[in-house]
Amino acid sequence: MIRQLFKYREMLLVVVIAILVAAFSTRSPGFARPANLANIFNDTSILIILALGQMTVILTKSIDLSVAANVAFTGMAVGMLNAAHPDLPLAAIVLVALGIGAVLGAINGLFVWKLGIPSIVVTLGTLTIYRGMAFVLSGGAWVNAHQMTEPFLQTPRQLFLGLPLLGWTAIVIVGIMYLIMSRTFLGRAIYASGGNPTAAVYAGIDVGRTRFYAFVISGTLAGLCAYLWVSRYAVAYVDIAAGFELDTVAACVIGGISTLGGIGTVAGAVLGALFLGVIKNALPVIDISPFAQMAISGSVIIAAVIFNARQERRRGRIILRDRGASEEIGVAA
Amino acid sequence: MSAVSERRQIPDRLGTSTTRLFASWEALLFMVAVLIFIANAFASPYFLNAWNLSDATFNFTEKAMVAFAMALLIISGEIDLSVAAIIALASTAMGAAAQAGIGTPGLVLIGIGIGLGCGLINGILVAGLRLPSIVVTIGTMSLFRGIAYIVLGDQAYGGYPPSFAYFGQGYVFWVISFEFFLFGVLAVIFAVVLHATNFGRRIYAIGNNEFAARFSGIHVERIKFTLFLLTGLMAGIASVCLTSRLGSTRPSIAQGWELEIVTMVVLGGVSILGGSGTIGGVVIAAFVMGLVTFGLGLLNVPGIVMSIFIGLLLITTITLPIIIRRLGRRKPA
C-alpha cells in the first residue's frame, strides 16, 4: 500500500514534468528536442546533487541550511588552489573539494551529534560562518576564468553520448545515493532515525551518529558541487550560490520528502529538482520575466507542502501527528 | 540519544531566587553585553559618544521589533522564516503607493496592512491547514519576495513624502530616536503580554506540550494563528521604519534578516524547541548584536566578517551552557 503510494507520487511528478515540457514546447517547438532536454538536465545537475545531500539530512529529521555556504567556501578554496598551483592535477583538486566539503559537513554533524543542538540552529550559524570564511580566505577578491586552468574549466563540459560530463556526474551520484539509501545498513538507519527515532534506538541504531553521517554526506556532495559550480560559471566569488540552500529544500519538498523525516526517495528528490529546473529553463521561452522565478518556486513549494500533508494524512499518520508536530521544530528542523 | 533524555529533565529542587537570577541566561548575556561595551570603549575612541551610541541603536531596533513577535512564535513551537520577505513586500507596496501620490498616513496603513495580510496567509497555512511552519514559511518567503521582484525587477522606488522620514530618522527627545522609543514601548508591551497575561501562559503551555495544552482547553490553532498575524504586523511596522530610514526600496531590502532575527531570539535564551524564553533576554540579545556590529564597524571590519562573529556568538552561546552542564554532571554529587 505504502509502496504503491510512493510510486504514485513519483509517477505523478513524471507526468506533471512531461505535461510542463509538452505545454512549453507548444510555445517554442524546440523545447522538447532531446538536445534541449539534455541541456536542461545538465543545467539542473548541481541542484540534483545538492538536493540528494539535503534529502539525506532531512530524512534523519534534521535540516542543512549551510549547503550553499559550503559551496561558496569550498568553491573559493578550490578556485584559489587552481589559480595558485596550475600544475596540480584535476583529480587532486576534486579530492580537495570533497575533503573540505566533508569536513564542513562533519562540523555541522558533530554539533548535532555530540551536543544535541537542533540542526536548524547549528546550520544557521555555520551558514554565516562558512560564507564569512570564504571572504576571509579571498579578501573579497574574485577568481576569474583566465586564472583557471584548461582542464579545470573544460572537463565537466566534455561531451559523452551527447551529455556533458557534468550531467553524467549527477547520474553517477544519483546511482550511488540510490544504492546507499536502498541497499546499505546506513541507508536503512537514515530512514529509521527520521521515521521513528525512539524505535531506531531500540533497534540498536545510533541516531546521533547516523545524523552525523548524513551531514557528512551532505557536506561531501556540497564539496563536489563547489568544484562543479566554479567550473561551470568560470568564476569564484564570496556570494556564489547565495540562497541556494532554499532551492535544495524546495526540491526535496516538491519531491515528496517529508520534513518530519523518514519519508522520501532518491527518485523523488531528483524529480523535485528537475521540476524546478524545467520551470527555470522555460521562463525565458514563455516570455516571463526571470524575476518571476522566485515567486513561482515559492508558490510551488506551498502547493507541494499542502499536497504532501494530504498524502501523509491519508496514510494514517494523523494518529502520530501531535507527537510529530511537537518534535518537528526542535529535533526535526 | 542523550539529547532526548536531557530535554525533559526536572531538577529535584529549584535554587533560591538569587542563585537562579545569577545563573540565568539573561544574567550571562547581560555580562556579555557589558564586556562587549567595555571592549568597544577601549577599542575605539569614537564609541563613547551619545550620538554615536544613538546611531548604534539603528543596527538592531527594526530587527528587534520583529524578534519580539518571533520570540512568542518560537516559544509556541513554530517559526516564521518569511519575515524579511514580508518587510520587502510591504516596503515595495509603500513605494508603489508613494509613486501614486499617497500621503504619509496612507503609506503607514499600507505597510502595516501588507504585513498583516502576509501574516494572515502564514497563519491560515500553518494554523488552519496544520502544515509545518518551517517549510511553509520558506515557501511564503520566496513568494513574498518574489512578488517584490516581479513588481520592481532591478528598479528602485524612492520619492517618499518628507513627513514619512520621521519614522526612521526622527528623534523623540534629544538622542532618543523614534525607532528606539518604539523599540522600548514594544518591549514593554510584549513583556507584559508574554509574562503577565493568560495569553502568554498559553503560549508557553503550547510550546511545552501541545497535546496537553489542547486537552487543557487551549485553542492551540487560534493562538498560533494570532501569533502569525502578530509577527506579520511587526514585520509591517519594521518595514515602515526601515523604508523611512533608507528612503528607498529595492526588492533585496532586508535580505537575510530572517536569519539575524532568529539568531537574536535564540541568543536571547529562547529555546528553539519551544516552551521557554523571556522578552528580557531578547532585549539584551538585541543590544549584544547591535553593539558587536557597531563596534566592529567602528574598527572598519567588513559586514561579512561581522556575520562570522554573529554566527560564532550564536553557536558558542548555545554550546557553552551544554558543555558546562555536562562537566558539572560528571562531578560526583
Side-chain angles (χ1 to χ4, degrees):
Chain A
M1 167 73 179
I2 286 174
R3 281 205 74 84
Q4 267 174 345
L5 273 170
F6 272 135
K7 273 186 187 143
Y8 173 60
R9 170 59 183 233
E10 274 105 36
M11 276 313 295
L12 189 80
L13 259 176
V14 170
V15 171
V16 169
I17 292 173
I19 291 174
L20 275 180
V21 170
F24 292 139
S25 57
T26 58
R27 288 294 291 271
S28 157
F31 194 80
R33 266 207 330 263
N36 190 48
L37 292 182
N39 194 20
I40 293 175
F41 182 83
N42 190 49
D43 198 47
T44 318
S45 297
I46 292 176
L47 178 58
I48 290 175
I49 300 174
L50 286 177
L52 286 172
Q54 186 68 263
M55 175 201 74
T56 317
V57 174
I58 292 181
L59 280 177
T60 66
K61 239 183 203 305
S62 302
I63 197 163
D64 187 353
L65 294 177
S66 72
V67 276
N70 189 333
V71 169
F73 177 78
T74 313
M76 179 57 80
V78 293
M80 287 171 71
L81 184 67
N82 183 243
H85 301 281
D87 45 336
L88 214 60
L90 185 64
I93 287 178
V94 173
L95 273 181
V96 167
L98 291 172
I100 296 177
V103 168
L104 296 186
I107 293 174
N108 291 330
L110 277 178
F111 276 106
V112 173
W113 176 23
K114 289 295 179 191
L115 296 171
I117 306 175
S119 55
I120 187 167
V121 181
V122 174
T123 55
L124 213 52
T126 52
L127 146 80
T128 58
I129 295 173
Y130 293 167
R131 203 174 279 282
M133 274 160 45
F135 178 88
V136 173
L137 188 68
S138 65
W142 293 34
V143 182
N144 292 306
H146 67 85
Q147 292 166 277
M148 298 174 190
T149 58
E150 202 58 8
F152 184 90
L153 285 174
Q154 294 305 327
T155 309
R157 292 169 217 270
Q158 296 299 320
L159 282 179
F160 178 69
L161 298 180
L163 187 67
L165 273 185
L166 172 62
W168 285 109
T169 314
I171 290 174
V172 169
I173 297 292
V174 169
I176 294 174
M177 289 306 291
Y178 174 77
L179 289 178
I180 290 179
M181 299 314 290
S182 65
R183 293 280 180 275
T184 66
F185 177 78
L186 178 63
R188 196 179 296 264
I190 285 171
Y191 277 103
S193 14
N196 191 338
T198 317
V201 169
Y202 285 120
I205 291 166
D206 189 337
V207 174
R209 186 191 293 266
T210 310
R211 289 197 175 130
F212 170 77
Y213 286 138
F215 275 102
V216 173
I217 291 177
S218 171
T220 312
L221 293 180
L224 174 66
C225 287
Y227 162 66
L228 295 174
W229 189 293
V230 171
S231 159
R232 173 156 179 77
Y233 298 102
V235 63
Y237 56 101
V238 175
D239 281 327
I240 59 170
F244 209 68
E245 63 275 355
L246 299 179
D247 289 27
T248 65
V249 175
C252 288
V253 172
I254 294 167
I257 285 124
S258 165
T259 43
L260 303 178
I263 301 175
T265 62
V266 169
V270 173
L271 289 168
L274 280 176
F275 182 90
L276 288 176
V278 167
I279 289 187
K280 181 181 161 225
N281 280 278
L283 288 181
V285 175
I286 52 175
D287 278 338
I288 292 182
S289 139
F291 290 115
Q293 197 199 326
M294 201 183 221
I296 291 175
S297 46
S299 317
V300 171
I301 296 172
I302 297 167
V305 179
I306 296 174
F307 186 79
N308 284 359
R310 286 185 49 194
Q311 287 242 308
E312 276 164 39
R313 232 164 268 179
R314 221 179 295 157
R315 249 177 253 151
R317 274 180 66 101
I318 188 89
I319 304 162
L320 300 171
R321 181 172 169 80
D322 284 296
R323 187 169 165 70
S326 64
E327 283 189 347
E328 129 206 345
I329 247 220
V331 184
Chain B
M1 177 55 206
S2 57
V4 178
S5 51
E6 253 168 55
R7 235 170 63 201
R8 302 283 178 213
Q9 242 180 28
I10 296 163
D12 298 334
R13 184 170 59 95
L14 295 171
T16 62
S17 55
T18 9
T19 55
R20 255 188 292 163
L21 180 68
F22 280 105
S24 75
W25 181 263
E26 286 77 8
L28 179 75
L29 202 58
F30 185 74
M31 284 191 288
V32 172
V34 170
L35 283 178
I36 294 172
F37 191 88
I38 294 171
N40 273 336
F42 275 107
S44 166
Y46 307 107
F47 182 74
L48 284 177
N49 170 308
W51 284 102
N52 270 344
L53 288 175
S54 166
D55 278 349
T57 62
F58 287 109
N59 277 332
F60 63 84
T61 40
E62 292 134 4
K63 290 168 200 159
M65 292 172 200
V66 188
F68 294 147
M70 182 78 88
L72 305 200
L73 207 50
I74 292 181
I75 290 173
S76 84
E78 300 289 342
I79 198 165
D80 185 349
L81 295 176
S82 72
V83 280
I86 297 178
I87 293 177
L89 184 57
S91 183
T92 307
M94 284 188 282
Q99 299 278 318
I102 290 174
T104 302
L107 292 181
V108 174
L109 278 181
I110 287 171
I112 292 177
I114 294 285
L116 275 175
C118 294
L120 182 78
I121 294 174
N122 284 331
I124 290 174
L125 287 169
V126 175
L129 299 177
R130 300 192 182 193
L131 301 172
S133 55
I134 287 185
V135 208
V136 165
T137 54
I138 284 179
T140 51
M141 165 168 120
S142 308
L143 178 63
F144 297 154
R145 199 179 284 278
I147 296 173
Y149 268 103
I150 292 176
V151 173
L152 270 172
D154 49 5
Q155 304 295 304
Y157 279 134
Y160 291 97
S163 61
F164 185 68
Y166 178 75
F167 304 104
Q169 299 166 24
Y171 288 85
V172 174
F173 167 73
W174 191 44
V175 293
I176 306 294
S177 65
F178 172 78
E179 279 196 19
F180 189 71
F181 177 73
L182 187 61
F183 159 79
V185 170
L186 287 169
V188 172
I189 294 175
F190 272 91
V192 169
V193 167
L194 182 63
H195 301 300
T197 67
N198 222 325
F199 183 73
R201 297 300 301 166
R202 288 177 181 171
I203 296 173
Y204 282 110
I206 295 173
N208 273 308
N209 190 335
E210 192 181 321
F211 201 61
R214 206 182 294 275
F215 276 90
S216 318
I218 295 174
H219 287 283
V220 173
E221 268 69 39
R222 195 182 295 169
I223 287 179
K224 284 188 176 171
F225 181 77
T226 315
L227 290 180
F228 274 103
L229 215 53
L230 190 63
T231 309
L233 171 71
M234 296 313 295
I237 293 175
S239 178
V240 171
C241 291
L242 179 65
T243 311
S244 156
R245 182 159 67 89
L246 300 179
S248 75
T249 298
R250 284 184 182 283
S252 61
I253 190 171
Q255 187 98 54
W257 275 27
E258 62 277 344
L259 302 185
E260 287 185 49
I261 290 167
V262 172
T263 304
M264 197 180 274
V265 172
V266 174
L267 191 61
V270 175
S271 164
I272 196 86
L273 306 171
S276 72
T278 62
I279 292 296
V282 178
V283 170
I284 305 173
F287 276 101
V288 167
M289 286 179 64
L291 286 172
V292 168
T293 39
F294 185 69
L296 293 174
L298 284 180
L299 297 175
N300 273 328
V301 174
I304 186 139
V305 179
M306 282 182 203
S307 68
I308 300 186
F309 283 93
I310 301 288
L312 284 174
L313 204 59
L314 173 71
I315 290 189
T316 40
T317 40
I318 292 179
T319 312
L320 267 183
I322 297 178
I323 293 177
I324 290 170
R325 214 185 310 144
R326 282 213 188 144
L327 290 178
R329 205 178 302 148
R330 277 200 196 132
K331 281 186 217 142

